[in-house]
Amino acid sequence: MVELIYRPEYASYDFGRDHPFSPIRLEMVLDLLHDLGVHVEPTACPKAEREDILSVHSPEYVACVEALGRGESVEDAERYGLGTPDNPIFPGMADAAAWLVGGTLGAARRAAEGEPRNVLHLGGGLHHAQWSNASGFCLFNDLAVAIRALTESGLYVSYLDIDVHHGDGVQALFYEDDHVQTISFHESGQYLFPGTGGIHELGQGMGRGLKINVPLEPFTEEESYLDAFDRVVPRALGHFKPGLLVVQAGADAHYEDPLADLMLTTRTYEALYRRIIKLAREHAGGRILWTLGGGYSLLASPRVWTLLVLTLMEQPLPESLPAVWVERWSERLRKSLPGTLHDANPAFDPIPRREEISRRNKTVVRRLLDSLSRYWL
């Protein structure tokens, strides 16, 4: 059983028509669920309070976002990562981000306090935002606000990030915190924004050994990805024994994503979701807070996230998508959408250097586990 969190105000988090982080992605998911006949009655959580946001962001930075959202000029706004191509200024930006923070915070409280133990926030996942600056389409770090609230209630939290980009903001905000374990699977920062997430980033002080990164080679396919996941995540969760699992379920590791180079398919995502649910039952009392995140292919991300909703609701997965949905969105987007929930099998031509990529990933995982072994005794 799963509870869904959503409200129409999330569409106000909009950097503009040509920006990749588009609210259209979520509109497509909700529209597809409707056309599939899936009855969805999401819970509407309140907007986050300023005090909630200040739990992970500096007062100066929050004031800057608020002022820019009101149309006021701020000297040297780019110092805060604002007014850049990644994070352009738009009216009401502070309120828009606060709605998403409120959704993730409310979802966290529901996942921690009662049934159902799976709570999916249809939004959020803004994992790049830092203490005093925006980064990578992320203004306020909703995940960090929620995790902070959970740890202040006494819970130990494991954060699992399957977005193709390193979950750098969440890691940085809890780098010395022994109540928070972070695990990020991402394309290596040698090739991809934000350029961090190496296996040597293990945390500091009491948090040492609790910050875990699995940087993967470009063009990593399902077999190698799942092999790394199976070698790292069960051991990490078994060692930490969290009270709750927080998952950033970005869809941008899909092979069609235009901003990255991993080669996952919808079948990989289904396998990941089922693994995560099983591991949460074994190590976290079944409690999971899910958010969305990155995912910039309009051909792929809506299908990946619909697959997540259907899996959590324990609904059968349809072979074909409703023709009316495919036609409506193909016309609106002026491109031909797939007619099936799952990708074709095979989804793409064989990848050159496949064995070499797999071998390099195995080496990275082996070195990571060697480094972690001293903390897992």
Side-chain angles (χ1 to χ4, degrees):
M1 187 176 179
V2 61
E3 180 179 6
L4 303 181
I5 307 296
Y6 174 77
R7 58 187 306 151
E9 288 88 348
Y10 296 171
S12 65
Y13 194 86
D14 187 353
F15 291 109
R17 188 178 69 176
D18 297 326
H19 195 282
F21 199 95
S22 170
I24 286 177
R25 304 170 306 154
L26 191 49
E27 183 183 351
M28 293 177 71
V29 173
L30 294 168
D31 200 32
L32 178 53
L33 290 170
H34 176 271
D35 287 346
L36 284 169
V38 178
H39 183 62
V40 175
E41 287 188 2
T43 300
C45 291
K47 184 169 64 174
E49 299 290 338
R50 195 172 193 268
E51 291 73 18
D52 298 322
I53 296 167
L54 288 171
S55 70
V56 302
H57 292 296
S58 72
E60 296 79 11
Y61 171 64
V62 173
C64 178
V65 178
E66 292 170 339
L68 292 171
R70 293 192 297 266
E72 301 172 12
S73 62
V74 175
E75 185 177 355
D76 198 19
E78 289 192 7
R79 177 166 65 94
Y80 296 101
L82 299 166
T84 66
D86 274 4
N87 308 302
I89 296 162
F90 62 92
M93 57 196 297
D95 281 344
W99 280 116
L100 292 176
V101 175
T104 302
L105 183 57
R109 289 168 174 159
R110 284 162 172 75
E113 294 172 0
E115 298 290 346
R117 296 188 172 217
N118 267 282
V119 184
L120 169 60
H121 181 205
L122 292 169
L126 307 179
H127 61 165
H128 294 307
Q130 305 279 341
W131 166 251
S132 200
N133 64 279
S135 178
F137 317 155
C138 305
L139 299 180
F140 297 149
N141 199 314
D142 60 300
L143 291 154
V145 171
I147 292 170
R148 181 77 76 201
L150 291 168
T151 59
E152 288 179 351
S153 73
L155 282 172
Y156 285 78
V157 176
S158 286
Y159 169 71
L160 174 60
D161 192 318
I162 59 172
D163 193 283
V164 78
H165 303 93
H166 176 225
D168 59 331
V170 177
Q171 175 182 284
L173 287 162
F174 297 101
Y175 206 56
E176 299 182 17
D177 195 321
D178 65 343
H179 281 63
V180 181
Q181 178 187 65
T182 66
I183 309 170
S184 180
F185 282 74
H186 48 269
E187 184 176 337
S188 171
Q190 294 182 40
Y191 312 101
L192 190 68
F193 174 90
T196 54
I199 60 174
H200 63 282
E201 299 172 28
L202 296 173
Q204 290 181 346
M206 296 298 291
R208 186 72 175 171
L210 295 178
K211 317 309 163 191
I212 301 168
N213 292 287
V214 185
L216 298 165
E217 285 288 302
F219 308 110
T220 292
E221 297 178 63
E222 175 179 304
E223 182 178 355
S224 182
Y225 190 106
L226 293 178
D227 174 70
F229 187 94
D230 290 341
R231 292 169 66 192
V232 172
V233 180
R235 290 184 63 184
L237 296 180
H239 163 73
F240 190 63
K241 298 178 175 61
L244 187 143
L245 183 60
V246 175
V247 179
Q248 201 271 25
D252 44 4
H254 190 274
Y255 74 93
E256 287 189 331
D257 198 273
L259 301 188
D261 302 294
L262 295 193
M263 303 298 289
L264 306 193
T265 69
T266 54
R267 289 179 173 81
T268 319
Y269 279 104
E270 181 184 354
L272 278 173
Y273 299 152
R274 297 194 187 282
R275 278 168 164 79
I276 292 168
I277 292 167
K278 180 176 182 290
L279 287 169
R281 288 173 180 158
E282 294 172 352
H283 300 292
R287 287 187 287 269
I288 316 177
L289 158 62
W290 304 77
T291 73
L292 304 187
Y296 308 104
S297 167
L298 297 181
L299 304 183
S301 296
R303 292 185 296 127
V304 171
W305 288 330
T306 297
L307 179 62
L308 172 59
V309 174
L310 295 177
T311 301
L312 292 176
M313 295 182 73
E314 300 181 348
Q315 295 271 348
L317 303 181
E319 293 185 9
S320 300
L321 299 179
V324 63
W325 183 86
V326 174
E327 293 168 5
R328 181 188 309 122
W329 283 99
S330 294
E331 180 178 352
R332 181 169 171 181
L333 300 176
R334 298 182 180 178
K335 60 178 66 177
S336 179
L337 268 67
T340 58
L341 183 64
H342 272 310
D343 298 317
N345 190 18
F348 44 80
D349 294 333
I351 300 295
R353 301 175 44 251
R354 180 179 184 182
E355 292 184 2
E356 179 186 351
I357 290 167
S358 177
R359 184 168 59 251
R360 289 189 177 190
N361 287 336
K362 286 180 182 295
T363 298
V364 164
V365 170
R366 183 174 65 252
R367 291 173 56 204
L368 171 65
L369 293 174
D370 285 346
S371 298
L372 289 169
S373 62
R374 72 189 69 178
Y375 305 103
W376 286 358
L377 293 176

